[in-house]
């Protein structure tokens, strides 16, 4: 009979550290449908898009991430995978983007009529106004959907108030004021 000898135990300190780890995430149907839509637009599998969103959310929260785009040696622009940020119209134009964006800006105006009361008819022809309103609308949506930090809300409100002051400084008359409604033909 051979004596029992200690066997090699595969302890955590002897195992190589994985560079990534697979996890399972369960989403409500409405969010899963949105994820599917984002994935189709990006031409990527939903799991890859979800992983990018999760990495970005964790990185933005200040938590360490060994798989962030910075750690991988990529710049932050890679978060959009070649697409433009959601507050800018996609290259080549997009009727869907324009419709959703117009609706978001109408909603923003309805929610904050005091701040946006000095918005003038034809604002969409001015790149600065167009991009600012689109960014504010997307930012508001992000806060409403996933906001967890009250500082996000405070920062948004400060930017909105500053933009409202800028609009009032530009002057004009009540006749020039934009009346929210259906998008104009030149939109």
């Amino acid at each position: 009979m051979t004596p029992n000898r200690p066997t090699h135990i595969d302890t955590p300190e002897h195992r190589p550290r994985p560079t990534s780890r697979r996890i399972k995430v369960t989403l409500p149907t409405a969010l899963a449908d949105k994820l599917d839509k984002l994935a189709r637009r990006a031409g990527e599998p939903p799991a890859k898009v979800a992983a990018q969103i999760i990495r970005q959310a964790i990185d933005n929260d200040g938590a360490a991430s060994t798989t962030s785009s910075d750690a991988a040696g990529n710049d932050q622009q890679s978060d959009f995978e070649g697409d433009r940020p959601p507050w800018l119209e996609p290259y080549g134009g997009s009727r869907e983007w324009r419709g959703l964006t117009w609706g978001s800006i109408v909603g923003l105006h309805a929610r904050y009529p005091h701040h946006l009361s000095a918005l003038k008819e034809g604002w969409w022809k001015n790149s600065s106004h167009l991009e600012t309103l689109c960014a504010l609308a997307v930012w508001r949506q992000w806060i409403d959907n996933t906001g967890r930090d009250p500082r996000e809300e405070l920062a948004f409100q400060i930017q909105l108030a500053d933009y409202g002051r800028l609009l009032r400084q530009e002057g004009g008359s009540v006749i020039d004021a934009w009346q929210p409604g259906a998008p104009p033909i030149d939109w």
Side-chain angles (χ1 to χ4, degrees), residues 3 11 15 19 31 35 48 52 63 89 94 101 107 115 136 146 154 175-177 179 182:
T11 59
R15 280 186 231 132
T19 57
L31 287 179
L35 178 63
K48 184 173 182 180
Q52 291 168 347
E89 185 171 13
S94 168
T101 300
H115 293 300
L136 285 169
T146 61
L154 295 172
I175 297 170
D176 296 339
Q179 297 302 314

Side-chain angles (χ1 to χ4, degrees), residues 38-120:
L38 287 171
R40 280 193 303 276
R41 237 186 308 171
E44 298 285 349
K48 184 173 182 180
V49 173
Q52 291 168 347
I53 292 169
I54 291 169
R55 278 194 300 273
Q56 183 178 6
I58 291 170
D59 285 346
N60 288 344
D61 193 35
S65 172
T66 59
T67 60
S68 73
S69 56
D70 286 336
N74 301 324
D75 62 7
Q76 289 297 339
Q77 188 62 27
S78 66
D79 290 343
F80 298 111
E81 291 298 317
D83 291 336
R84 294 183 75 177
W87 57 91
L88 298 177
E89 185 171 13
Y91 292 115
S94 168
R95 178 173 262 165
E96 179 185 11
W97 180 89
R98 285 186 164 259
L100 292 172
T101 300
W102 187 269
S104 295
I105 293 170
V106 167
L108 195 66
H109 191 280
R111 190 166 175 174
Y112 303 104
H114 172 73
H115 293 300
L116 300 176
S117 63
L119 191 59
K120 304 295 177 242

